[in-house]
Amino acid sequence: MLLAIHEHAERFFQARIATSWVPEYLRQRGFDDDVQRQWRIGYAPNEWRALTRHLRGLGFPDIAIEASGLARRTTRGMLIDFFRDRAMFPITERDATTIAFIGRSRTNEPKYLNSPNTPIYVKGRALFGLHMLSTGAKPVITEGPLDAIAVTVAGRGRLAGLALCGTSLTPDQVKTLDAAADLRASGVLVAFDGDRAGQQAAARSYSLLKDAGTAEALMLPSDWDPAAVLGDAGPKGLAALLRVRVRPLADLVTDAAIEPWHDSLQFAEGRVSALRAAGAAIATMAPRDVARQVARVAAQLNFDHATVTETTTDSVTARLALADFPTAPTPGSTTTRSYERRANERPLRGPTP
């Protein structure tokens, strides 16, 4: 019954999009009418009970309408629509069956509103755009539905955008994606927003993606996201960035480890601390990523490769040891004094271009 309710809700939203603000808004963002139809976008009216009345008229009981997550109870016990005055994006299974929605507001907060968890939908398992993932396309994980659509439009069958549903990337979402795409064969690209929060989230996603295949990250300026690039530069402009502004996702992990020590890298102690942090990060990486990160850290901190490798090996050993062993050389230890001596012997000259 919940699947049937979502099918009728999708038709309801689609029937009301033509007279709403949504089509013109999306056109201005670079999403033409064909794209809007292809992604089955609709509109939730700015009324308290429009969908609820419609579903009741089709014979669905209140208990099922509430269980679908498309309506909620007020403090007075009245059943009202969950989505109002929003562009509606269906969240589907691989077979295109709609199980939930993402609602995008033009002016209100939150900008995006996701269906609550229901018996047929769990946020931490689902990915928006899964039904558009064609065979052979590389999956591109984005933050929002417009970003996912933008990537798919620009990718022209080579790339398929998939958006998180109001969560950070989860192990279950990676399993869902791997079952649909075989990540070891296709690889995966993370295209989060270019701001600091987006890049930090991308770095955190590495631990979930490192064993799934080649993992890369799209590097955008801080105030950009894929949908904004599509609107400003069109599909060709976004496609170009998706080719030339891509780096191994592991780069973001080591950069994030070093970043807290950035202001003290002119001092030997700061460089040693950054080295330990980077070594600990590299120690968790897939073997295919280690050599590049050792070289990058050596260049950024002006240590030789052997020193970075030794630090990484120490971290691996510590991870395999008993839980109460130290995870890094203690101050004053032989290893620490050795690192500090090398840091003083190799003064910081700045990162290699």
Side-chain angles (χ1 to χ4, degrees):
M1 184 177 290
L2 296 185
L3 291 176
I5 287 176
H6 279 82
E7 179 182 356
H8 285 287
E10 182 178 326
R11 294 176 184 172
F12 175 86
F13 295 143
Q14 288 178 333
R16 284 150 183 81
I17 188 173
T19 57
S20 74
W21 54 265
V22 174
E24 182 57 27
Y25 168 79
L26 292 177
R27 290 186 206 109
Q28 291 176 358
R29 297 291 304 271
F31 305 102
D32 62 26
D33 292 350
D34 287 341
V35 170
Q36 295 179 38
R37 284 190 292 270
Q38 187 179 23
W39 287 82
R40 296 151 49 182
I41 301 171
Y43 171 71
N46 190 19
E47 302 177 33
W48 288 103
R49 294 187 295 277
L51 177 61
T52 299
R53 286 196 301 267
H54 177 74
L55 293 174
R56 282 170 172 167
L58 293 172
F60 293 106
D62 282 8
I63 190 171
I65 297 172
E66 185 176 5
S68 73
L70 295 172
R72 63 180 180 84
R73 293 282 177 185
T74 68
T75 55
R76 296 183 178 183
M78 181 182 298
L79 199 62
I80 61 173
D81 293 352
F82 187 76
F83 297 102
R84 299 185 301 277
D85 194 24
R86 289 179 179 268
M88 300 299 294
F89 302 86
I91 301 172
T92 69
E93 296 279 23
R94 186 75 174 91
D95 64 1
T97 301
T98 297
I99 56 174
F101 293 92
I102 300 174
R104 208 283 187 192
S105 173
R106 179 173 50 171
T107 56
N108 297 331
E109 293 295 334
K111 181 188 299 184
Y112 286 105
L113 184 63
N114 293 268
S115 287
N117 289 333
T118 70
I120 63 171
Y121 167 66
V122 178
K123 292 181 184 181
R125 295 177 187 168
L127 289 162
F128 170 81
L130 200 62
H131 68 293
M132 298 292 286
L133 180 58
S134 57
T135 303
K138 175 182 285 190
V140 181
I141 303 173
T142 70
E143 294 188 48
L146 290 181
D147 294 326
I149 297 172
V151 167
T152 303
V153 170
R156 299 177 62 86
R158 296 177 296 101
L159 302 173
L162 301 112
L164 304 176
C165 299
T167 70
S168 299
L169 184 66
T170 70
D172 283 341
Q173 286 172 325
V174 174
K175 290 178 182 177
T176 297
L177 184 53
D178 195 29
D182 186 8
L183 297 180
R184 288 170 183 80
S186 67
V188 62
L189 175 62
V190 177
F192 291 169
D193 293 357
D195 58 20
R196 184 173 182 178
Q199 295 308 294
Q200 289 176 337
R204 289 194 299 271
S205 71
Y206 175 83
S207 62
L208 300 178
L209 296 170
K210 66 178 182 178
D211 297 325
T214 303
E216 298 175 307
L218 177 66
M219 305 301 297
L220 293 175
S222 61
D223 57 346
W224 291 16
D225 57 54
V229 174
L230 181 80
D232 291 341
K236 290 184 178 180
L238 178 56
L241 289 181
L242 288 164
R243 287 193 305 270
V244 303
R245 295 190 66 98
V246 170
R247 290 167 50 188
L249 185 57
D251 285 9
L252 275 66
V253 179
T254 50
D255 290 351
I258 292 172
E259 197 275 336
W261 306 101
H262 183 269
D263 292 339
S264 58
L265 292 181
Q266 67 269 38
F267 305 111
E269 184 179 351
R271 291 171 60 202
V272 169
S273 296
L275 174 62
R276 290 181 193 153
I282 297 171
T284 68
M285 292 182 178
R288 65 175 175 273
D289 293 323
V290 170
R292 172 182 169 87
Q293 299 312 313
V294 167
R296 292 182 71 249
V297 171
Q300 289 185 45
L301 301 181
N302 284 331
F303 284 104
D304 56 48
H305 286 210
T307 300
V308 181
T309 300
E310 179 184 349
T311 307
T312 302
T313 302
D314 288 347
S315 292
V316 172
T317 301
R319 287 169 60 83
L320 296 175
L322 297 176
D324 58 349
F325 275 27
T327 58
T330 57
S333 70
T334 301
T335 306
T336 295
R337 289 197 299 271
S338 173
Y339 291 161
E340 290 176 345
R341 184 184 70 252
R342 297 178 200 179
N344 285 317
E345 290 172 352
R346 296 172 62 87
L348 186 66
R349 295 188 300 273
T352 301

